[in-house]
Amino acid sequence: GARLLMRRALERAGFRVSEAADGNAAVAAIDAGQCNAVLMDVEMPTMNGYQACQAIRSKPGGAHLPIMMVTGRDDVASINQSYQAGATDFLAKPINWNLLGHRVQYLVRGGRLVQELEESEGRQRAMLDALPDLLLVVDMYDRVVDRLGASDNHPFLVGGVKPDQKITELVNGDAARA
């Protein structure tokens, strides 16, 4: 019943919809193909929505897929459980079918932006890592939090950068202050 109404509302809004009967089928569908967003009920047979959400998040390509949990429970604990399982958003029942298309449009758009940002950061990181120079990212406490460029055999990096290492342990005096 509710799945058919949801399908109709989403198709009216211009979405192509693929359905899964339960949590296992939802996770398998993510494995199988291209998907821009997932809407799933918390209450499902064989694997509930929280478990399915966690399973999708652990898949390659599932980390940033927008997932909206549909729930009849609007208590804070259930909503928190949705977010802890990795949900991007939640939709409380009863569902406003006229607004559903708009909500999903924003969900998909947000997911696309996150994906583009990640790809852009990956390209920038690759360019910086290809530099022959050593670039150290230092926090306000003078700890080295990241390094870019230059291979591990750089003279400053005998044994590499250790966690929470201070810049003064790698570079001395005026250079560290600068």
Side-chain angles (χ1 to χ4, degrees), residues 70-165:
V70 181
T71 177
R73 309 174 191 169
D74 59 358
D75 59 292
V76 174
S78 299
I79 292 162
N80 283 342
Q81 197 173 351
S82 290
Y83 287 124
Q84 281 161 6
T88 313
D89 199 0
F90 75 95
L91 186 64
K93 293 176 187 173
I95 295 167
N96 181 330
W97 301 111
N98 295 323
L99 291 179
L100 181 64
H102 295 288
R103 288 282 301 273
V104 174
Q105 219 163 8
Y106 283 110
L107 188 71
V108 170
R109 190 180 304 157
R112 199 173 298 127
L113 288 172
V114 168
Q115 186 68 39
E116 286 170 10
L117 183 65
E118 193 165 80
E119 286 167 10
S120 167
E121 283 179 349
R123 284 193 300 274
Q124 289 174 353
R125 177 98 198 189
M127 284 181 357
L128 289 169
D129 279 339
L131 292 173
D133 300 325
L134 172 66
L135 301 173
L136 297 172
V137 180
V138 180
D139 69 9
M140 59 190 279
Y141 305 106
D142 296 332
R143 290 181 308 219
V144 178
V145 291
D146 198 3
R147 52 166 278 238
L148 300 158
S151 59
D152 281 327
N153 58 16
H154 194 280
F156 279 150
L157 294 179
V158 182
V161 176
K162 293 177 244 351
D164 286 338
Q165 188 163 23

Side-chain angles (χ1 to χ4, degrees), residues 52-64:
C53 190
Q54 286 174 317
I56 290 166
R57 288 287 180 240
S58 69
K59 300 258 170 224
H64 299 301

Side-chain angles (χ1 to χ4, degrees), residues 6 24 37 41 44 69-70 121 123 133 135 166 177:
M6 183 173 281
N24 284 333
D41 207 307
M44 292 188 293
M69 301 291 273
V70 181
E121 283 179 349
R123 284 193 300 274
D133 300 325
L135 301 173
K166 295 256 187 203
R177 280 191 289 281

